[in-house]
Each structure stands twice: as C-alpha cells, then as structure tokens.
Amino acid sequence: MLSRLLTERSSVFERADPYAVSDYVNRHVGSHCIRLPATGSPRASLNHRQFASLDLCRISYGGSVRVISPALESIFHLQILLRGHCLWRDHRQEHYFVPGDLLLINPDDPVDLTYSEDCEKFILKLPVSLLESICDDQRWQRPSEGVRFMEKRYRLVDLEGFSNLVSMVCNEAGDLQLPKVQEHFAQILGSKLLTLLKTNVCRERLSSQAASFERILEYIEANLKQDISPESLARQASMSLRSLYGLFERRLGTTPKHYIRQKKLERIRVCLSDPSCPVRNVTELALDYGFLHLGRFAESYRLQFGELPSDTLKRRGG
C-alpha cells in the first residue's frame, strides 16, 4: 500500500535516541512531548522532507511511546498508520487505529496518542494558510473560526486514489526541487483533503432554488478541476440524486458521472493539443483534473479519442 513512502534518501535518523528524534520533530513537524517506558532501550528512525509548504515525515520510535501536545495551533496533522497500532484519547472517548487508518488532527485539537512498540506512521503537516488559500481560490465559504475537519478517523481505502496521490508527492519530494511544481502538488493534495473528508467548509451553491439544466452544465465546466461527484452535484443543484440522474438521462442520454469524466477528458485533450497551454507532462495534467489512477485515465482517454494522451502531446510537439 504505502510501504515505500519516503525512501532512504530522506533519512535523518536511523536507530537513534528517541528524544533526539523528538527534538527534531518539535522543530520541523509540530510541538509535542513524548513519554517512554522506564525500562528498555528503544531506537528511533525518522525520514523527513520539506515540500513547498508541507512537511512529510515517516517515523518509528522503536518502543511503546505516548505523544502529548496541548494543540498544534497553526497546522493540521494528517497521520497514516503504516505498522503496529495506536490508541487515541480525548476527554470523551478513545479509538484504536490499525494500519491503513488515517487520523486528522485539527490545529486546536489536544493530542494524546499511545503507539505500540512496532508502530510506524506517516505524518503530513499542512499549514492552516494553505487550506484557507484553497478555499478562497475556489470561492468556498469557510467559517470565521477557521477550517475544521469534522471527523478524526478515516480508512484510507475509502478515500479513492488518495494513497496514490500521497505516494506521488513523496516521489516528487525525492526528485529535483522545483518550487512551482511542488506548490502545484501541494494545492492538489490540499484540495483533495477538503473534498474527500468531512469539513465545515460550505461550497458555493448553484442557486438558492433548483438550478436549470444549463446552469448545472455551466457549473461543471467551471469546476472541472474539482471532485464533482453526482451526490455533491445534486446537493449543489438542490435536487435529489434520482432527479439529477433522470435529468441527465432525458437531456443527454448519459449519467452525470460519465458526463463529468467525458468533459474532464475533453479539457485535457485541448490542453495537450494547444501549444500555448503550458504542460509539463501528462501525469501532472491528469492529476490536475482529478485522475489519480493513471493507467485507468490513459485507457479512458484512448477509448474516447482513439490514442493515448502521450501521443496527443507528442503530435503537438511535432
């Protein structure tokens, strides 16, 4: 799944003093303190990369450890459990996390986590300013008290394509440092989190009443780079999902999902064909339009246009 997140080239500590690793994490990833058992000599390991405004971290303490922090203040923490297990506590409840679980910690959430001896986790640190800027760019309404994720626990397998995106970001972090490319990926990753997870952000509605079909199509065209599911489109249009499907079937003879995918592919083809449109590579453009399964994207593109996206780009170059 995510076993290759951050390679040896990003290694900072290997079998080191856990308190030395903790000090480093305090400086780069988030303020906290650790509590270790009185006996034993655990050895900790840490991989770390800065990536645009993000920090990517893979850490294991080599022993059972309790991590405590009053609050992270100006950052969000996304933690993915890779090995072992973790107990999360707050004043009302507690949960066990297992490999493949994702924990989202808001800036004002107190942290009280206990990790098993064999635990290894991946941490993604996102500044508040990144998610706020994404909301502002997309004209999404965010409450005055700030962006919040409404649930802490998720299963990675339920977040379609997200593990692929995290892997790509880690791979990009290991290559040449290109600030504009890194910021591009950071924006995509932040946007995915805001659309895949439950938040207090309110997206702009199509209208105060049930929207016309033409207005729905205009909304899709204006938001092709976003995750537009049939469910979210129905909510935006103030109609039931069944009504939305019936509308698309009567007017276009297709489903909303198929139509949105088709329009995304058409927009990508225009970008690949137009010499004035800056395109670094097919992968980056596919990610920009929400295609995280690149093999599936290439096959859908071929079925629709009779050639691979790389062929379209090569012909432009010729």
Side-chain angles (χ1 to χ4, degrees):
M1 183 179 57
L2 295 173
S3 58
R4 294 297 298 166
L5 289 183
L6 297 180
T7 64
E8 290 76 11
R9 286 184 296 174
S10 62
S11 178
V12 180
F13 293 96
E14 185 68 29
R15 295 188 58 77
D17 177 4
Y19 290 102
V21 173
S22 177
D23 288 343
Y24 182 93
V25 171
N26 271 321
R27 294 195 303 273
H28 298 279
V29 185
S31 177
H32 73 290
C33 66
I34 63 171
R35 297 177 183 176
L36 294 166
T39 60
S41 301
R43 301 283 88 188
S45 299
L46 174 74
N47 293 51
H48 175 245
R49 274 280 193 269
Q50 288 186 315
F51 187 84
S53 59
L54 310 176
D55 277 87
L56 315 171
C57 178
R58 180 170 176 161
I59 185 171
S60 61
Y61 280 104
S64 178
V65 61
R66 187 176 180 184
V67 178
I68 299 174
S69 175
L72 300 171
E73 297 183 351
S74 62
I75 57 176
F76 293 89
H77 261 203
L78 180 151
Q79 299 192 9
I80 301 173
L81 202 63
L82 304 177
R83 290 190 296 113
H85 62 267
C86 167
L87 176 64
W88 164 71
R89 302 181 185 90
D90 69 6
H91 62 281
R92 292 170 300 187
Q93 55 189 329
E94 60 182 37
H95 289 293
Y96 272 102
F97 286 76
V98 298
D101 279 349
L102 184 152
L103 170 65
L104 204 299
I105 304 173
N106 290 301
D108 58 348
D109 289 338
V111 177
D112 188 346
L113 298 164
T114 301
Y115 297 96
S116 62
E117 292 184 6
D118 59 342
C119 183
E120 184 176 28
K121 60 181 176 176
F122 174 81
I123 299 175
L124 172 65
K125 185 186 85 172
L126 304 97
V128 169
S129 57
L130 173 65
L131 298 189
E132 288 181 344
S133 69
I134 291 171
C135 290
D136 294 342
D137 290 343
Q138 301 301 329
R139 293 182 299 168
W140 295 340
Q141 300 176 33
R142 51 185 175 89
S144 58
E145 65 269 20
V147 176
R148 283 189 62 83
F149 291 88
M150 307 311 292
E151 294 184 5
K152 289 184 171 62
R153 185 181 188 179
Y154 302 85
R155 286 294 293 169
L156 198 58
V157 294
D158 296 332
L159 307 177
E160 183 178 359
F162 187 68
S163 60
N164 289 349
L165 179 57
V166 173
S167 295
M168 288 178 185
V169 167
C170 288
N171 289 336
E172 193 75 23
D175 294 334
L176 294 174
Q177 303 298 301
L178 301 172
K180 289 186 177 180
V181 174
Q182 290 188 358
E183 187 57 40
H184 178 77
F185 273 93
Q187 290 280 333
I188 293 173
L189 197 150
S191 297
K192 287 295 178 186
L193 284 175
L194 288 169
T195 53
L196 289 172
L197 308 188
K198 296 181 180 179
T199 73
N200 63 350
V201 174
C202 179
R203 301 190 195 182
E204 183 183 11
R205 299 190 68 83
L206 284 166
S207 68
S208 58
Q209 299 177 344
S212 68
F213 187 62
E214 289 71 23
R215 183 71 183 94
I216 292 173
L217 299 187
E218 290 174 3
Y219 178 84
I220 292 172
E221 286 288 340
N223 292 275
L224 284 176
K225 288 188 177 182
Q226 306 307 316
D227 282 322
I228 312 174
S229 67
E231 293 80 7
S232 66
L233 188 60
R235 289 193 298 270
Q236 295 284 350
S238 300
M239 64 177 62
S240 70
L241 186 61
R242 182 177 180 178
S243 297
L244 182 73
Y245 269 83
L247 188 59
F248 270 80
E249 179 61 34
R250 290 193 304 272
R251 299 293 295 270
L252 298 176
T254 188
T255 65
K257 185 175 182 179
H258 183 269
Y259 178 82
I260 293 166
R261 184 172 65 249
Q262 178 183 341
K263 287 299 176 182
K264 285 176 179 280
L265 291 170
E266 289 175 359
R267 181 71 62 81
I268 289 174
R269 184 171 177 81
V270 169
C271 293
L272 291 174
S273 304
D274 185 358
S276 66
C277 182
V279 177
R280 194 168 76 102
N281 55 51
V282 172
T283 296
E284 182 178 316
L285 191 60
L287 286 171
D288 210 11
Y289 283 88
F291 291 98
L292 304 183
H293 297 281
L294 298 179
R296 196 180 304 167
F297 157 72
E299 180 61 15
S300 297
Y301 188 97
R302 186 189 66 79
L303 289 174
Q304 184 156 329
F305 302 116
E307 65 180 7
L308 293 172
S310 55
D311 296 331
T312 307
L313 184 60
K314 288 176 184 176
R315 191 169 60 256
R316 177 178 78 162

